[in-house]
Amino acid sequence: MTQGTKTSTTDRRSDRTKAAILRAARERFAAQGYERTTIRAVASDAGIDASMVMRYFGNKAQLFDATLAIDLRLPDLTGIPADEVAEALVRHFLERWEGDPADDALLVLLRSAVTNEQAAARMHEIFAAQVNPALAAALPPELAARRAGLVSAQLLGLGLTRYLLRLPAVTTLTPDEIESGLAPAIQATLDPN
Amino acid sequence: MTQGTKTSTTDRRSDRTKAAILRAARERFAAQGYERTTIRAVASDAGIDASMVMRYFGNKAQLFDATLAIDLRLPDLTGIPADEVAEALVRHFLERWEGDPADDALLVLLRSAVTNEQAAARMHEIFAAQVNPALAAALPPELAARRAGLVSAQLLGLGLTRYLLRLPAVTTLTPDEIESGLAPAIQATLDPN
DNA sequence: AATGTAGGCCAACGCGTGTTGACTTTCCAG
DNA sequence: CTGGAAAGTCAACACGCGTTGGCCTACATT
């Protein structure tokens, strides 16, 4: 029922439009945030009717939620010398933000988390599941908890000012300038004093 | 015309409700951002009708704009020893954010700037008019431009994670812990290397 | 007391939204 | 061929929004 004898290559047609919807939704949510993104606009971008979005994702909140599946792909910090951890982090985030211009995932999350409870909750989850463990691997156990927050604050501050607010004083910097200016700072937060 | 013989003590009545509207608007914009704040709700909070808000402020965008008159009250960094500038900055911002809980100004600006072009533009102005000059007074001239952005990124990162996103790893820190963890970091960004 | 004006309320408008359900088209299995 | 499900369209709904204009009320000046 519902599907034929063999559905090994999953129903094809619907999967393609479902993916198109998700792609369009990510773009809109990233550019405009949750409230200003309309289902009609997403549907139009995906080349279908708005009611199809409802059929596949239930409602706007669930579509949004599907959009928030994000992997920071944090590197394993275990092998890295203690005094190079900050540099590795900064480099990784710059690459993550700027590497693939079509990848709006981080933009969606950060922009929405500021005005949307659902996204903020997701941010907490991602923090607990990805950032904390990664830093715990590179820091003395009891220091990690107290410093992970400040390190995140600094990295998110970079994302905020460079990619969301686009403050000229930050956007005009080259990746190298950012790395050389920010890595020592974060390193100072990481090192016990 | 319009006003009587002498209006020395400004028309009284209207000024009080105008102030009440502004207060309510700041609270709503701070808590919910621009889009989710409704004029009807602001009016209700101020104890008057929605059409009064229009009478006094023209439209929603202008009300919002009136809300965005913000003075960071940055201290004069000229007299401060070079190695204490970061500490002074961190302390000042903590005080500014947490000193007067009824003062939502920074919250309004930061929350809205992420999804609203108008607020983002205001952020750029404030940055150019207040942050840049203050740092220029404490840094070697040509270094200032390249470092002011990163310092702002770090300070805004703190505001973002602690007061908007309320990441547990940041909200659980005491002001002292933040100061001792973040001041050396920002100092590292300020110091030429 | 008369009156003009500022402050305020009420009802309605036009619009865009999320969401729904009935209808049509495509397409593949029997 | 032919059914029937999947994929997609269309028109409409109920709602809340920003905004408007007409009306009432208080009150200070004459």
Side-chain angles (χ1 to χ4, degrees), chain A:
Chain A
M1 17 219 84
T2 314
Q3 55 208 39
T5 36
K6 38 179 177 173
T7 322
S8 50
T9 32
T10 57
D11 289 323
R12 283 290 173 210
R13 188 78 179 279
S14 64
D15 281 357
R16 254 186 303 142
T17 60
K18 211 170 162 177
I21 293 173
L22 259 183
R23 210 179 318 124
R26 282 218 172 81
E27 229 169 278
R28 289 276 175 178
F29 283 137
Q32 314 179 325
Y34 182 80
E35 345 280 343
R36 291 176 42 206
T37 294
T38 71
I39 292 203
R40 282 170 163 90
V42 169
S44 165
D45 289 354
I48 46 124
D49 188 85
S51 60
M52 282 276 93
V53 178
M54 307 298 293
R55 177 118 69 213
Y56 286 134
F57 292 93
N59 57 34
K60 188 181 178 182
Q62 284 174 260
L63 169 64
F64 185 52
D65 201 67
T67 270
L68 291 179
I70 285 162
D71 184 356
L72 298 181
R73 299 185 217 131
L74 286 171
D76 181 14
L77 299 173
T78 317
I80 298 177
D83 61 340
E84 293 175 17
V85 168
E87 189 188 321
L89 281 174
V90 173
R91 226 198 288 263
H92 174 264
F93 269 96
L94 281 170
E95 167 63 23
R96 195 68 175 69
W97 277 102
E98 299 178 11
D100 177 7
D103 183 0
D104 297 320
L106 295 186
L107 215 47
V108 175
L109 184 64
L110 190 48
R111 171 157 278 145
S112 312
V114 169
T115 41
N116 187 281
E117 279 305 318
Q118 191 182 347
R122 191 56 82 88
M123 188 108 209
H124 290 197
E125 289 171 27
I126 289 175
F127 189 85
Q130 299 183 42
V131 181
N132 264 335
L135 284 178
L139 261 65
E142 274 307 306
L143 197 67
R146 294 218 126 30
R147 298 304 168 91
L150 290 179
V151 171
S152 305
Q154 287 169 286
L155 289 171
L156 288 176
L158 174 64
L160 174 73
T161 52
R162 187 172 172 91
Y163 309 108
L164 265 72
L165 303 181
R166 289 192 238 267
L167 285 183
V170 181
T171 54
T172 54
L173 299 175
T174 66
D176 280 350
E177 284 176 319
I178 291 174
E179 190 188 314
S180 68
L182 208 56
I186 294 181
Q187 192 65 50
T189 301
L190 287 174
D191 292 338
N193 29 7

Side-chain angles (χ1 to χ4, degrees), chain B residues 43-58:
Chain B
S44 164
D45 289 355
I48 46 126
D49 188 85
S51 59
M52 283 277 92
V53 178
M54 307 298 292
R55 178 117 75 209
Y56 287 132
F57 292 92

Side-chain angles (χ1 to χ4, degrees), chain B residues 122-190:
Chain B
R122 191 56 80 87
M123 189 109 209
H124 291 197
E125 290 171 27
I126 289 176
F127 189 86
Q130 299 183 40
V131 181
N132 264 336
L135 284 178
L139 261 66
E142 274 307 307
L143 197 68
R146 293 218 126 31
R147 298 304 168 89
L150 291 179
V151 171
S152 304
Q154 287 170 286
L155 289 171
L156 287 176
L158 173 65
L160 174 73
T161 51
R162 186 171 173 90
Y163 308 108
L164 266 71
L165 302 182
R166 290 193 238 268
L167 286 183
V170 181
T171 55
T172 53
L173 298 176
T174 68
D176 280 350
E177 284 176 320
I178 291 175
E179 190 189 312
S180 70
L182 209 55
I186 294 183
Q187 192 66 48
T189 302
L190 287 173

